[in-house]
């Protein structure tokens, strides 16, 4: 199959100046190749350990890995205290901006005091190392302070998206066995305060293990109060001393549980530990983004409640002493230029976000970014889904001014950190491809039997060696851990669940979920390729494609498209044109059986399209698990569009 949209063959070499001063150069691959464990040990030495490890990797009982065995460190100390001790206390850690426009500037010294106070408060409330603490918060600095306070005392945090329902929160509190919940009265979203406390009251009412609820005052909404259980953050935290002696924990001490986003199935509680996780998160953040702590203003525009926020808003940037931007609200509030306004205001130099947002900006039109000064940007990143070549080019041109490399980073909640990505000073960019395994990471594309495939072929993505920030298990369910990830090709091969292609240059293209791959008259067709072809048409901003059972072809391709702001829905004519476009672009076999123009697509809170729900609709089934959906009314709007019998 072709790389669609005429992007084939286009290369975007790293800008010379960036390449000349990049944190990592081309030699990094050979170094990692020569001695993988020595390479990761060197990366680990960028952190401060109170006891050096005895062994880099213990893989004697696969798939249960131990990294930096015997090593000891404190994650919060590495993220905060050591920078203050090194004389950088006055450096800004976060430029925080609330949705209504209120701001807070938090230096490393202030962050250290805040984290110590919160750690002392948790200790006072009886939280011990190994206890689970749920964090159900808006995007405010206290969210990060709470995470770091847990890390500091060795408690395991479990951040749950502030947008999730009481049911979703309750099932996670129960699964993790949380003893305490940190929340807020509410947060600002789409121009209005939205409440959080009622969902907590509901969920905690069903979770007898939760002893206390600590509530940050953010919106000043009225809240119900349970005496003896509920405490205001400002009452319990503010009066604590700003000193707290950090204890060292084992490299394999649990750091957090994070539930996957649920695009393919019911969310899984992924467990990450301390030393290996922080090593790879910090190193990738430094190498992939070429982070220069003294010069850059770094912005991961995502929610802290998904793994991208954990690794690249909190742990990676702080471990590297970055100055970051953190924004509470949505991109369209109070106007569609809000993000660009923030880039201009804080002179953001590195922006990391998801394709869904870029396609939304495409839909709104390039006039909006054109109205702001975005010249501070020098590097752009993408994460969460394959970025369609057309969206890549739009991002490059309209946000990056044609000068910024784009790092398209493939990774998962389970991998903890970047696994496949271009390196900005090394790789010539190729729109739509994640390209190259990160140094020290072993990636293969294999067929159904696990045989490695050569260039110019597609199959399943697997990881053939353990990596420092890998998940250690699914919380409370070792069997499911083994079954889900390490059984298809044996105990030493991680099955990622994604399809992938290697092109003639050996560059890797992600093809979407294996569960989503379509089979039309015996041909395997990737959802991503058909979607990218549709997005390559000048009228289309966003597309989701699924295979629905079909009496003659096995599966028929059903496409849902959102039009660009300036495009007109000419009905049958448009549908015909789009079908012809895909047929010409990829081949007649990939021509959708049905195309529907819709206003919205079902997405997870992290912005991923939930194809399994669209497939349920296209096949007239009951909808599966919808707890991680942003907005369930979207499904009704789409259902109304469907002809009754299809
Ligand atoms: P679940 O596992 O519950 O179905 P999920 O896989 O959507 O949820 P995440 O861990 O947040 O939850 O997402 C990881 C997935 O996102 C990857 O497996 C891949 O399909 C997709 N992904 C992430 N980054 C990229 C990227 N740069 N290119 C292509 N796909 C990506
Ligand atoms: Mg997944």
């Amino acid at each position: 199959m072709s790389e669609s949209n005429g992007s084939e063959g286009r290369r975007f070499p790293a800008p010379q100046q960036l390449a000349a001063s990049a944190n990592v150069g081309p030699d990094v691959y050979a170094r990692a190749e020569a001695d993988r464990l020595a390479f990761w040990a060197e990366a680990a030495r960028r952190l401060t350990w109170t006891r050096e490890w005895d062994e880099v990797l213990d893989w004697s009982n696969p798939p249960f890995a131990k990294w930096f065995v015997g090593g000891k460190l404190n994650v919060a100390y590495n993220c905060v205290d050591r920078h203050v001790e090194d004389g950088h206390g006055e450096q800004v850690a976060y430029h925080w901006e609330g949705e209504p426009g209120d701001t807070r500037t938090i230096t490393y010294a202030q962050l250290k005091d805040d984290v110590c106070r919160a750690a002392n408060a948790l200790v006072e409330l009886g939280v011990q190392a190994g206890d689970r603490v749920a964090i159900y918060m808006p995007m405010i600095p206290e969210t990060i302070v709470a995470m770091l306070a847990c890390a500091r005392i060795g408690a395991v945090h479990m951040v749950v998206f502030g947008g999730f329902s009481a049911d979703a929160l309750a099932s996670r509190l129960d699964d993790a066995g949380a003893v305490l919940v940190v929340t807020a009265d509410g947060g600002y979203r789409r121009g209005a305060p939205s409440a959080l406390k009622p969902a907590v009251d509901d969920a905690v009412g069903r979770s007898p293990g939760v002893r206390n609820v600590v509530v940050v005052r953010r919106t000043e909404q009225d809240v119900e109060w349970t005496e003896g259980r509920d405490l205001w953050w400002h009452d319990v935290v503010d009066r604590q001393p700003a000193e707290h002696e950090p204890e060292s924990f084992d490299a394999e001490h649990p750091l957090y549980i994070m539930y996957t986003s649920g695009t393919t199935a019911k969310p899984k509680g992924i467990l990450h530990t301390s030393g290996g996780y922080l090593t790879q998160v910090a190193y990738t953040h430094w190498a992939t983004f070429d982070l220069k702590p003294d010069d850059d203003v770094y912005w991961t525009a995502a929610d802290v409640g998904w793994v991208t926020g954990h690794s690249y808003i909190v742990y990676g940037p702080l471990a590297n002493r970055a100055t970051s931007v953190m924004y509470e609200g949505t991109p369209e509030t109070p106007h569609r230029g809000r993000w660009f306004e923030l880039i201009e205001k804080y002179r953001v130099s590195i922006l990391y976000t998801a394709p869904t947002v870029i396609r939304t900006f495409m839909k709104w039109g390039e006039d909006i970014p054109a109205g702001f000064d975005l010249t501070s940007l020098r590097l752009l990143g993408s994460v969460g889904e394959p970025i369609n070549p057309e969206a890549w080019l739009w991002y490059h041109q309209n946000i990056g001014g044609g000068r910024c490399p784009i790092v398209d980073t493939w990774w998962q909640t389970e991998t903890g950190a970047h696994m496949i990505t271009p390196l900005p000073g090394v790789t010539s960019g190729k729109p739509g491809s994640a390209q190259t395994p990160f140094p020290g990471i072993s990636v293969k594309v294999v067929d159904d039997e696990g045989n490695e495939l050569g260039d110019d072929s597609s199959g399943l993505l697997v990881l053939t060696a353990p990596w420092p920030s890998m998940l250690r298990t699914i919380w409370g369910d070792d069997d499911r851990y083994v079954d889900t990830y390490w059984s298809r090709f044996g105990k030493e091969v991680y099955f990622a669940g994604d399809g992938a292609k290697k092109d003639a240059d050996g560059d890797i293209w992600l093809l979407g979920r294996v569960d989503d791959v379509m089979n039309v008259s015996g041909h395997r067709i990737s959802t991503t390729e058909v979607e990218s072809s549709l997005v390559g048409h000048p009228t289309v901003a966003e597309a989701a494609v699924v295979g629905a059972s079909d009496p003659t072809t096995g599966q028929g391709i059903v496409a849902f498209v959102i039009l660009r702001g300036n495009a007109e829905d000419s009905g049958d004519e448009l549908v015909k044109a789009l079908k012809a476009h895909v047929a010409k672009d990829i081949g007649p076999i990939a021509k959708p059986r049905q195309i529907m123009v819709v206003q919205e697509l079902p997405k997870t809170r992290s912005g991923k399209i939930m194809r399994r729900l669209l497939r349920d609709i296209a096949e007239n089934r009951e909808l599966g698990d919808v707890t991680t959906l942003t907005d369930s009314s979207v499904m009704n709007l789409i259902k109304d569009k469907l002809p009754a019998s299809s």
Side-chain angles (χ1 to χ4, degrees):
M1 249 172 275
S2 73
E3 294 146 30
S4 32
N5 322 318
S7 64
E8 209 164 354
R10 287 194 72 177
R11 296 289 179 282
F12 294 80
Q16 264 175 14
Q17 210 194 339
L18 192 151
S21 62
N23 287 348
V24 295
D27 61 298
V28 70
Y29 291 105
R31 270 193 293 125
E33 183 80 34
D35 190 340
R36 199 171 61 87
L37 296 184
F39 170 80
W40 285 120
E42 189 189 315
R45 287 199 183 89
R46 300 179 66 251
L47 305 178
T48 303
W49 298 76
T50 53
R51 185 185 187 280
E52 166 118 1
W53 51 89
D54 306 311
E55 192 185 4
V56 176
L57 169 67
D58 175 357
W59 191 231
S60 59
N61 180 30
F64 298 95
K66 290 185 183 142
W67 280 86
F68 307 111
V69 184
K72 281 179 178 288
L73 79 172
N74 185 287
V75 168
Y77 173 87
N78 272 278
C79 289
V80 186
D81 305 48
R82 62 176 181 147
H83 308 314
V84 179
E85 288 170 12
D86 289 348
H88 298 288
E90 295 313 304
Q91 182 178 332
V92 174
Y94 293 100
H95 293 290
W96 176 81
E97 178 110 1
E99 196 185 75
D102 49 334
T103 63
R104 284 162 69 182
T105 307
I106 298 156
T107 64
Y108 274 93
Q110 287 165 346
L111 186 60
K112 175 177 166 291
D113 291 354
D114 289 346
V115 171
C116 287
R117 286 195 191 97
N120 286 322
L122 290 178
V123 170
E124 185 182 297
L125 294 172
V127 178
Q128 295 180 358
D131 285 350
R132 275 79 62 208
V133 172
I135 299 177
Y136 181 71
M137 292 277 268
M139 284 279 288
I140 56 176
E142 285 81 1
T143 309
I144 293 176
V145 170
M147 291 167 73
L148 293 167
C150 289
R152 193 171 187 97
I153 66 167
V156 183
H157 60 71
M158 174 186 73
V159 180
V160 178
F161 259 130
F164 282 168
S165 65
D167 285 346
L169 177 60
S171 70
R172 287 163 176 74
L173 291 177
D174 178 56
D175 189 66
V179 300
L180 185 138
V181 178
V182 182
T183 188
D185 50 0
Y188 289 93
R189 273 198 95 71
R190 301 212 155 73
S194 75
L196 287 172
K197 183 72 169 37
V200 174
D201 290 334
D202 179 344
V204 169
R206 298 180 246 165
S207 310
V210 175
R211 297 190 304 258
N212 289 109
V213 176
V214 178
V215 188
V216 177
R217 186 179 275 154
R218 164 71 185 131
T219 58
E220 320 241 334
Q221 298 168 87
D222 286 336
V223 291
E224 300 274 323
W225 207 252
T226 303
E227 283 306 327
R229 183 195 76 186
D230 296 353
L231 301 153
W232 285 110
W233 173 281
H234 54 260
D235 285 340
V236 68
V237 174
D238 290 0
R239 63 180 162 76
Q240 302 289 339
E243 264 77 55
H244 175 271
E245 188 63 37
E247 187 186 332
S248 299
F249 293 99
D250 194 271
E252 284 297 341
H253 187 80
L255 180 63
Y256 69 80
I257 301 167
M258 166 103 266
Y259 289 81
T260 57
S261 74
T263 37
T264 56
K266 208 167 171 302
K268 305 170 273 288
I270 302 302
L271 178 72
H272 283 291
T273 60
S274 302
Y277 174 78
L278 196 64
T279 293
Q280 189 172 336
V281 158
Y283 186 78
T284 52
H285 180 257
W286 179 77
T288 307
F289 297 116
D290 187 40
L291 192 275
K292 303 282 198 279
D294 295 322
D295 305 324
D296 280 315
V297 177
Y298 175 85
W299 186 17
T300 290
D303 199 288
V304 134
W306 65 306
V307 74
T308 299
H310 281 47
S311 297
Y312 299 106
I313 295 177
V314 183
Y315 290 110
L318 291 177
N320 288 325
R321 186 174 48 85
T323 294
S324 293
V325 168
M326 180 183 191
Y327 171 55
E328 178 186 32
T330 48
E332 68 268 46
T333 310
H335 58 80
R336 290 176 166 181
R338 187 60 195 274
W339 277 24
F340 309 117
E341 187 177 76
L342 292 175
I343 293 169
E344 178 179 296
K345 174 175 176 184
Y346 293 108
R347 308 291 300 154
V348 171
S349 55
I350 303 171
L351 175 68
Y352 189 35
T353 190
T356 177
V357 181
I358 297 158
R359 292 186 302 249
T360 301
F361 289 150
M362 279 171 80
K363 185 170 71 179
W364 292 345
E366 59 250 31
D367 291 352
I368 297 174
F372 296 87
D373 178 4
L374 307 180
T375 54
S376 55
L377 288 169
R378 69 180 190 93
L379 184 64
L380 303 174
S382 174
V383 57
E385 291 183 290
I387 178 165
N388 322 98
E390 195 64 28
W392 194 107
L393 293 166
W394 193 95
Y395 193 25
H396 187 258
Q397 193 52 44
N398 294 291
I399 297 184
R403 75 187 169 273
C404 305
I406 298 179
V407 288
D408 174 9
T409 58
W410 179 88
W411 58 296
Q412 308 177 299
T413 308
E414 294 88 340
T415 71
H418 298 162
M419 301 296 280
I420 306 176
T421 175
L423 290 177
V426 180
T427 320
S428 271
K430 205 185 254 189
S433 170
Q435 298 190 275
T436 318
F438 195 85
I441 299 299
S442 307
V443 176
K444 281 188 181 142
V445 178
V446 300
D447 65 16
D448 285 338
E449 276 74 53
N451 305 307
E452 182 170 11
L453 298 170
D455 292 349
D456 236 342
S457 48
S458 53
L460 310 174
L461 188 77
V462 296
L463 306 169
T464 54
W467 62 100
S469 63
M470 65 192 269
L471 77 166
R472 298 306 195 259
T473 191
I474 293 176
W475 180 257
D477 201 345
D478 286 349
D479 290 342
R480 190 173 177 206
Y481 168 67
V482 177
D483 289 350
T484 309
Y485 306 108
W486 306 92
S487 58
R488 183 148 179 175
F489 303 113
K491 277 190 306 201
E492 300 201 36
V493 176
Y494 175 89
F495 173 53
D498 285 352
K501 170 177 82 177
K502 271 190 179 178
D503 67 17
D505 303 326
D507 281 321
I508 295 171
W509 297 70
L510 278 305
L511 298 180
R513 309 319 178 84
V514 172
D515 308 32
D516 291 336
V517 170
M518 302 172 291
N519 194 324
V520 182
S521 307
H523 296 268
R524 299 216 309 194
I525 299 173
S526 107
T527 50
T528 302
E529 286 186 307
V530 180
E531 287 165 6
S532 285
S533 174
L534 286 165
V535 174
H537 192 272
T539 58
V540 176
E542 184 145 38
V545 161
V546 298
S549 55
D550 186 289
T552 43
T553 55
Q555 276 189 321
I557 301 179
V558 179
F560 302 79
V561 298
I562 298 179
L563 300 184
R564 292 206 196 188
N566 54 2
E568 205 188 312
D569 182 0
S570 57
D572 287 352
E573 218 174 293
L574 174 69
V575 167
K576 250 200 216 149
L578 292 177
K579 286 184 179 176
H581 171 78
V582 175
K584 179 164 166 283
D585 212 9
I586 304 178
I589 191 77
K591 187 160 104 177
R593 175 184 85 185
Q594 201 178 352
I595 297 182
M596 271 165 284
V597 176
V598 295
Q599 297 301 319
E600 292 293 339
L601 290 167
K603 287 183 185 163
T604 64
R605 288 274 304 162
S606 53
K608 293 172 202 280
I609 299 169
M610 281 230 225
R611 287 177 198 76
R612 66 178 166 85
L613 296 182
L614 292 172
R615 206 161 47 226
D616 289 345
I617 281 208
E619 296 184 339
N620 258 321
R621 259 198 314 271
E622 283 273 311
L623 295 184
D625 186 288
V626 291
T627 53
T628 61
L629 203 58
T630 330
D631 173 5
S632 45
S633 66
V634 168
M635 297 311 294
N636 295 330
L637 287 177
I638 296 174
K639 267 191 202 155
D640 292 345
K641 282 236 148 192
L642 273 183
S645 61
S646 71

